[in-house]
């Protein structure tokens, strides 16, 4: 009995027991913390990856719709708490090569970061004297479009500018028609490989708004910008109905996928229609000076706007 009593009141053993208990508690806390840390990081990575992929699809659709033959060529994600920021490059397919034209950012996730962008400039030209051109980051002019059902005070025509260009170049030129045409009504026997078709996605209300702007504002600023014209490209030389139908269906999916409410509205306008029933308002063609000038001879061409230029190799 005395032996047990001594053990109970042995101060050294009590301290050892307490120390052992504390050590076990610390180890337990460390293991639980590590487990929580690992689970949190795995969950954070999985959630961030999910929203990153979702955002990429939405933004890539937006870029492809707002930039003729444009696409996101590279993204670099910086993950934060259940989200992050993606730095991306926009490239444009110029038939011979793809060229980076812009570098931008978008945020994604359950708690997306707030992006603050600062800049200045954007358009060149004096009111009433020249067109209010907008420029891309790489220095190319953004193309201008003119809706056939709107009567503008003045139409842009870069024919003389194209004629004056020297060297063996590939030109990107937006050509607006004199009226809407269905694919079967187009007079072109053959178009350059990789032609972009401007599709009529506009409502009567939008057309009315365009016409009111023409009356209210100066001619130099009344046109449809490149980012507001919606369409799709085909790589077929003869642009057959089969090829156009395939690209049109891809175009509809992009309208559904894009985060833009305007694109979603355009999808509602076109949903259920076939390519043979769709009106085309213009085209963007890629070719040499002679190829472009030959196409511009067609009487259906109402306006011509020069975009990018690259060497023909």
């Amino acid at each position: 009995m005395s032996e047990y009593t001594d053990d109970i009141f042995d101060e050294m053993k009590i301290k050892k027991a307490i120390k052992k208990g504390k050590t076990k508690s610390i180890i337990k806390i460390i293991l639980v913390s590590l487990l929580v840390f690992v689970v949190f990081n795995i969950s954070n990575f999985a959630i961030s990856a999910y929203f990153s992929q979702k955002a990429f699809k939405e933004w890539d659709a937006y870029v492809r719709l707002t930039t003729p033959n444009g696409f996101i060529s590279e993204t670099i994600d910086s993950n934060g708490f259940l989200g992050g920021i993606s730095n991306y490059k926009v490239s444009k397919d110029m038939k011979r090569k793809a060229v980076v034209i812009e570098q931008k950012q978008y945020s994604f996730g359950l708690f997306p970061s707030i992006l603050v962008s600062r800049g200045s400039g954007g358009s060149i030209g004096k009111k009433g004297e020249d067109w209010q051109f907008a420029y891309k980051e790489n220095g190319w002019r953004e193309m201008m479009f003119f809706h056939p059902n709107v009567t503008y005070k003045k139409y842009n025509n870069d024919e003389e500018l194209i004629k004056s260009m020297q060297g063996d170049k590939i030109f990107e030129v937006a050509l607006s028609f004199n009226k809407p045409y269905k694919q079967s009504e187009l007079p072109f026997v053959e178009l350059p490989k990789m032609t972009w078709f401007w599709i009529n996605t506009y409502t009567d209300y939008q057309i009315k708004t365009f016409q009111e702007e023409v009356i209210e504002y100066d001619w130099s600023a009344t046109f449809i910008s490149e980012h507001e014209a919606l369409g799709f490209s085909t790589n077929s030389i003869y642009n057959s109905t089969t090829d156009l139908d395939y690209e049109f269906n891809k175009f509809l999916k992009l309208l559904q996928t894009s985060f833009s409410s305007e694109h979603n509205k355009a999808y509602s306008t076109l949903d259920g229609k076939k390519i043979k029933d769709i009106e085309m308002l213009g085209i963007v063609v890629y070719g040499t000076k002679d190829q472009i000038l030959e196409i511009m001879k067609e009487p259906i061409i109402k306006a011509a706007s020069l975009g990018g230029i690259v060497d023909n190799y």
Side-chain angles (χ1 to χ4, degrees):
M1 183 70 178
S2 173
E3 183 181 346
Y4 291 109
T5 303
D6 291 340
D7 288 344
I8 293 173
F9 293 101
D10 189 329
E11 186 176 346
M12 292 300 294
K13 289 184 177 181
I14 292 174
K15 287 183 178 180
K16 287 182 179 180
I18 293 173
K19 187 176 180 180
K20 187 176 181 180
K22 286 183 178 179
T23 302
K24 287 182 177 180
S25 297
I26 292 172
I27 293 173
K28 185 177 181 180
I29 291 171
I30 292 173
L31 290 175
V32 171
S33 298
L34 285 173
L35 180 62
V36 171
F37 177 78
V38 171
V39 171
F40 170 78
N41 277 279
I42 292 175
S43 300
N44 187 55
F45 176 80
I47 292 172
S48 296
Y50 167 78
F51 282 104
S52 173
Q53 183 64 20
K54 181 176 182 292
F56 172 78
K57 290 180 179 180
E58 293 174 347
W59 276 91
D60 187 57
Y62 178 81
V63 167
R64 290 177 183 275
L65 290 168
T66 57
T67 306
N69 289 308
F71 59 96
I72 294 179
S73 56
E74 181 182 357
T75 61
I76 299 177
D77 289 351
S78 298
N79 290 334
F81 177 62
L82 300 179
I85 294 174
S86 183
N87 296 279
Y88 68 98
K89 294 180 181 179
V90 176
S91 293
K92 182 185 277 280
D93 190 346
M94 291 292 292
K95 190 174 182 178
R96 292 297 187 195
K97 66 183 79 173
V99 179
V100 176
I101 58 174
E102 293 176 317
Q103 298 187 58
K104 295 187 176 182
Q105 293 179 324
Y106 61 79
S107 57
F108 59 87
L110 287 175
F111 303 102
S113 303
I114 297 175
L115 296 177
V116 178
S117 178
R118 294 182 177 88
S120 60
S123 61
I124 303 294
K126 295 180 179 179
K127 182 177 179 181
E129 296 179 13
D130 198 0
W131 294 99
Q132 302 298 298
F133 295 118
Y135 286 79
K136 299 181 177 67
E137 289 180 5
N138 72 336
W140 287 352
R141 273 177 19 184
E142 290 189 4
M143 295 176 290
M144 299 183 293
F145 295 83
F146 297 83
H147 198 292
N149 291 337
V150 178
T151 303
Y152 295 89
K153 296 173 184 175
K154 191 172 180 178
Y155 294 82
N156 182 69
N157 191 332
D158 284 330
E159 182 176 1
E160 293 304 318
L161 177 61
I162 296 170
K163 286 181 178 179
S164 68
M165 293 289 183
Q166 301 298 318
D168 188 17
K169 306 286 185 181
I170 292 293
F171 297 90
E172 175 189 48
V173 183
L175 304 175
S176 300
F177 296 156
N178 60 351
K179 68 175 185 177
Y181 289 88
K182 294 181 179 179
Q183 189 264 340
S184 60
E185 299 171 336
L186 292 175
F188 308 109
V189 177
E190 183 178 320
L191 286 168
K193 188 176 181 181
M194 199 178 79
T195 296
W196 185 88
F197 293 87
W198 180 23
I199 303 302
N200 189 9
T201 61
Y202 305 94
T203 62
D204 291 340
Y205 177 79
Q206 288 175 302
I207 300 300
K208 181 181 178 182
T209 301
F210 290 150
Q211 192 63 68
E212 290 173 349
E213 289 174 350
V214 170
I215 297 172
E216 184 176 353
Y217 300 113
D218 188 82
W219 62 265
S220 61
T222 50
F223 53 84
I224 297 173
S225 71
E226 179 178 320
H227 293 299
E228 297 172 325
L230 298 176
F232 59 87
S233 182
T234 175
N235 286 319
S236 172
I237 295 177
Y238 299 101
N239 302 302
S240 67
T241 301
T242 302
D243 294 321
L244 288 175
D245 187 56
Y246 173 74
E247 296 297 338
F248 177 64
N249 288 328
K250 286 172 57 178
F251 171 66
L252 291 178
K253 290 181 180 178
L254 290 176
L255 290 175
Q256 283 183 291
T257 304
S258 172
F259 63 85
S260 170
S261 59
E262 293 301 317
H263 294 166
N264 302 152
K265 290 178 183 176
Y267 171 78
S268 299
T269 302
L270 299 175
D271 186 28
K273 295 184 179 180
K274 301 295 183 183
I275 188 63
K276 64 180 181 179
D277 303 316
I278 298 301
E279 292 183 333
M280 299 179 179
L281 307 178
I283 54 177
V284 175
V285 290
Y286 299 80
T288 63
K289 180 196 297 187
D290 292 340
Q291 288 175 322
I292 298 297
L293 294 176
E294 185 65 28
I295 295 172
M296 289 175 62
K297 291 179 181 179
E298 291 289 345
I300 73 169
I301 305 301
K302 186 72 175 180
S305 177
L306 178 64
I309 306 172
V310 296
D311 291 325
N312 189 14
Y313 60 83

